[in-house]
Structures are given as structure tokens and as C-alpha cells.
Amino acid sequence: MNNVFVVNAGSSSLKYQLIDMESEQVLVSGNCERIGIDGGKITYKYFGTKKVVETDLPNHKAALDRVVDLLLSGETKVIDSIDDIVAVGHRLAFSRVSPCSNEITPEVLKDIEATTEMFPLHLPGMLTGIRACQDTFSGKVQVAVYDNSFHLTMPPKAYMYAIPYDYYKDYGFRRYGYHGTSHRYVSLRLAKLLGKPVEELKIVSCHLGNGSSLCAVDGGKSVDTTMGYTALAGLMMGTRSGDIDPSLLLPMAQKAGLDLEGIHNVINKKSGLLGVSGVSSDHRDVENACAEGNERAQIAIDMLNYQIQKYIGSYAAAMNGLDAVIFTAGIGEHSPGLRQEVCRNMEFLGIQIDEEKNAANHGDEEEISTSDSRVKVWVIPTNEELMIARDAYAIYQSKQK
Ligand code: ADP
């Protein structure tokens, strides 16, 4: 059996999937929560059944060992031996250097550790997850899949900031972009669905969730994306402001009596849909408030739709053409209203949406443009775990040769 174990580790949680790489079916998925805190809990979903195990999870290794017990024994058993798992794929936020996924060698681990400064909240949890897997799955290929790798193909004109060059050279201050695994997955998937090589397609991929980003994918390569050095940039999001005038930060701090950290907190946690609407960071709640006539909610929704339209237009210009727009992630998959508004008045670009198909689509993989729309519009549910598993499996296979 050729299964890959996919891990997305946080400081107190560890999400996992076990994927059979021959059928690409998810055998098991789940989450270990409250690791290192009282009241640990493991959810374990297998073949349509869900089991919840409440047990103290003192650390990530203990949590993984419990999951392996569940995989190997009792009613929850899905594999006979740990050797039925050939590789482990880890979701990581960032690599400064690696344009693709790679095996976690001691040198690679050092590179990853060196980025802790940029991700002080998330990286320590991810690193703990890697170390625990190296222990529990010792001898298996461990592969790192980075959220920004896909964007390392961007040209300097897209990734440079117009600040003194030394800041780029000395500190690496440039656009990096995130959600790369998702943009890569949906653009490859679209090429397959259209029966065309991805090299021949110009795509704008819209990943719209709590965090949102758009990506211009030209010939299968990311040529521009909305997120920047951090995941704050670009579109307004659930609680993040997206792009604002950077010179606003100083008067904001003075008026609100906040220091730099306080302002950082405001633009990351109190802005976006939540900040403008005053209702919620959740797009569903804000849409519902609009339907009840809430004016601020309507402004927030209008702003988001408008920003997405502007980026689609600018990316069509950047790529000198557009063949397809993809909507994915929580909002992209589940909000017909957003898709309808974003595609309104875009006929000049060749985008025409089939309103009935769009209204009926709540996350199905489907084309929602009219048959004569020059630009194809698709809803494609993202599947970052499968992409991670594929990369891990490919590296495992290359090592067998
Ligand atoms: P994250 O960035 O945390 O992975 P998601 O991709 O799950 O986020 O997206 C969360 C957003 O998707 C929320 O704003 C939520 O309102 C919106 N959404 C709308 N409908 C649904 C749905 N049926 N399921 C999940 N999310 C939905």
C-alpha cells in the first residue's frame, strides 16, 4: 500500500489526513486539538464514520502516537502496518529559497528554522510537528510543501517593493505571496478539466477564505499575486485590512494612542469585513446582514467585490489575456452572491456568468460561465492536502529509482 500521511501542525493542534496515492482517496482525516493543554481531543474520520477520542495530549508526539494506534488497531483500523505509509507531507508557510517542495534534510530543516522570525506565531508549531513525525514515522521520507513556493517564479517587477534596494538585499523585504499550494492545485485541476495543457492557459485564481488572495497564473506559473511579504497585503479579508496607504499608519497610531504593535493588531485582527461592517469577520454573517438592510455590511461586501474585480482586470492586463477565472476556498466555493457581483459588468473582458448555474452552485466542481463566454469561469474546491500528498509521493518515488 502506498499511503501518504499529510500534516498541518499548529502550536496546539495537528490536522492530518491519510491518503491512498493509487486512488488519491482520503482514507482518514482528523484533528488533534488542545495539545499541551488540558482536555485534549482527537477527531478521527474514516469511511464515513467519525470517532472522537478525549484524552490528554501532552505533546505533538503523543498526539501522533495516538493517531497511529487508531490507524493500526481496533474498529478504527485502516492499515496493517506503519510501513503502509511511505511518506509524510508537511504544510509549511514559507521558504525563502525553495521554488518547489523538498525532502526535509538537516540542511532544509535549518533553512526552515531560519524563517521563525517571520512567522513567530505559526512556525514553532509546524517545526514541532516535523520533529514529532520524524520520531513517530522514523525512516519515512518527510517532505516540506511551502505556501509561497509557487510564487517564486514571479519576476522582479512583480515582487519588488519601491523601497531602498538595500532593504531587499539585506533583509529580503519583497513580495512573497501565499496560498500557493491552493493556486497550484486549482490551476492544474482546471487544465485537466478543460483538457488543455496548463502551459497554454492564462488563469486568475481567486482563493477567497478567511485569508484571501488572487494569483495570475500564466502558463502554469505564478506571475503575480496579491499577498506580499506578509499575508496582510492585497484584498481585504475577514479581519485583515488588505492594502492601505502605508502613510496612514502613523496618523492612525497618533489618533488612537497606539504603538506600532497596537496598529499591527488593528490591521490584522480588527479590520477587513469585521472592521468595516462591525458585524462579523465571517462572510456569511456579513451577507446576511446585507440582506437585512445593514448599510455598513453592504459597504464591506461592495468593497470586497470591487477589489476582486480590479485585480482580475489588472491581472488580465499583466498576462496580456485571460482564459479562465477560478473561484475557490470557503467564500469562493460557497458564495454565489460574491461570484455574481464580481462577474457583473465584466463582459468587456469576455466574462459572462450563467446566473442560474452560479446560483445553484454551493461548492461543486463546475463551470459557471455561459457556453459562449470567451473566458471560462469555474468553481473548483481547493484540495491543498492532496497537492501536499502528491508532492511527498513524487519525492518518495524519485528516491526509489
Ligand atoms: P480559511 O482561510 O480559514 O481556510 P475558509 O476557506 O474555510 O477559511 O473560508 C472561510 C470563509 O468562507 C468564511 O468567511 C465563511 O463565511 C465563508 N463561507 C461561506 N459559506 C461557507 C460554507 N458553507 N462553508 C465554509 N465556509 C463558508
Side-chain angles (χ1 to χ4, degrees):
M1 292 238 293
N2 286 334
N3 301 313
V4 171
F5 194 76
V6 176
V7 177
N8 185 353
S11 56
S12 64
S13 71
L14 188 149
K15 295 196 191 107
Y16 62 89
Q17 283 195 3
L18 183 70
I19 301 180
D20 170 359
M21 295 317 293
E22 263 134 52
S23 61
E24 293 198 333
Q25 290 303 305
V26 177
L27 303 178
V28 178
S29 67
N31 194 4
C32 307
E33 293 166 76
R34 299 183 65 86
I35 300 173
I37 314 171
D38 278 353
K41 182 170 118 179
I42 299 177
T43 42
Y44 183 94
K45 288 189 211 155
Y46 62 115
F47 307 122
T49 308
K50 179 170 161 184
K51 189 175 169 78
V52 177
V53 181
E54 294 191 3
T55 171
D56 273 349
L57 302 169
N59 52 47
H60 287 65
K61 158 102 177 107
L64 273 175
D65 286 344
R66 269 311 269 127
V67 172
V68 170
D69 283 346
L70 292 165
L71 291 171
L72 291 177
S73 56
E75 48 165 11
T76 57
K77 176 173 165 176
V78 289
I79 51 175
D80 293 325
S81 139
I82 199 149
D83 287 332
D84 290 340
I85 297 174
V86 295
V88 182
H90 297 266
R91 179 180 190 176
L92 286 168
F94 182 75
S95 165
R96 195 159 285 180
V97 287
S98 186
C100 56
S101 307
N102 53 16
E103 184 176 0
I104 306 178
T105 59
E107 295 74 43
V108 167
L109 196 55
K110 261 195 210 138
D111 285 341
I112 298 171
E113 282 165 349
T115 60
T116 308
E117 195 193 355
M118 264 179 88
F119 299 93
L121 294 180
H122 298 111
L123 199 69
M126 292 172 175
L127 284 167
T128 312
I130 292 176
R131 293 196 193 98
C133 285
Q134 285 176 327
D135 207 338
T136 298
F137 301 104
S138 91
K140 312 279 178 210
V141 185
Q142 309 275 336
V143 171
V145 181
Y146 309 95
D147 258 9
N148 74 312
S149 283
F150 185 56
H151 304 299
L152 286 172
T153 48
M154 282 189 291
K157 66 181 178 185
Y159 71 66
M160 288 297 290
Y161 291 130
I163 54 176
Y165 194 79
D166 285 351
Y167 286 88
Y168 163 66
K169 235 177 44 216
D170 297 344
Y171 309 118
F173 291 162
R174 49 158 282 182
R175 181 189 303 284
Y176 283 109
Y178 300 94
H179 293 142
T181 312
S182 174
H183 292 303
R184 182 160 62 108
Y185 172 78
V186 294
S187 45
L188 287 172
R189 181 76 194 138
L190 179 73
K192 191 153 194 208
L193 289 162
L194 295 179
K196 284 195 177 157
V198 75
E199 290 74 19
E200 289 175 14
L201 292 171
K202 295 177 191 291
I203 300 169
V204 174
S205 162
C206 309
H207 178 110
L208 308 168
N210 277 321
S212 298
S213 71
L214 261 60
C215 179
V217 188
D218 193 352
K221 294 201 165 85
S222 168
V223 293
D224 207 345
T225 191
T226 55
M227 283 181 167
Y229 181 78
T230 73
L232 176 91
L235 299 169
M236 65 189 279
M237 309 179 205
T239 62
R240 285 172 246 172
S241 65
D243 287 346
I244 52 171
D245 176 353
S247 278
L248 187 59
L249 301 182
L250 187 60
M252 263 173 77
Q254 287 164 341
K255 290 281 181 204
L258 293 170
D259 59 11
L260 207 52
E261 237 168 75
I263 285 294
H264 184 80
N265 193 44
V266 169
I267 58 177
N268 274 284
K269 305 222 170 99
K270 297 187 173 166
S271 298
L273 290 175
L274 173 67
V276 177
S277 71
V279 173
S280 166
S281 63
D282 190 300
H283 189 262
R284 279 169 290 196
D285 297 342
V286 185
E287 275 190 328
N288 291 338
C290 281
E292 288 161 11
N294 183 315
E295 278 176 32
R296 275 173 56 184
Q298 189 65 55
I299 295 172
I301 290 287
D302 289 347
M303 285 170 70
L304 175 61
N305 297 343
Y306 178 60
Q307 292 178 6
I308 298 169
Q309 281 189 317
K310 283 203 296 186
Y311 274 117
I312 292 175
S314 67
Y315 285 169
M319 293 189 288
N320 186 25
L322 182 65
D323 297 306
V325 174
I326 304 171
F327 288 98
T328 193
I331 303 171
E333 291 165 28
H334 297 287
S335 176
L338 174 135
R339 296 189 302 251
Q340 164 87 47
E341 287 309 311
V342 165
C343 295
R344 194 189 290 283
N345 298 332
M346 298 281 264
E347 297 85 7
F348 78 100
L349 258 185
I351 296 177
Q352 270 182 304
I353 201 167
D354 180 324
E355 293 190 11
E356 270 176 36
K357 258 195 198 169
N358 176 52
N361 188 307
H362 292 275
D364 299 325
E365 189 175 79
E366 185 190 25
E367 182 183 342
I368 54 164
S369 41
T370 59
S371 54
D372 56 350
S373 180
R374 199 185 49 71
V375 172
K376 305 292 166 211
V377 183
W378 276 77
V379 176
I380 300 184
T382 193
N383 194 341
E384 287 156 293
E385 291 77 15
L386 178 58
M387 203 76 242
I388 294 170
R390 282 183 187 161
D391 283 3
Y393 190 52
I395 290 177
Y396 159 77
Q397 284 182 309
S398 70
K399 286 175 66 93
Q400 303 309 300
K401 288 176 187 151

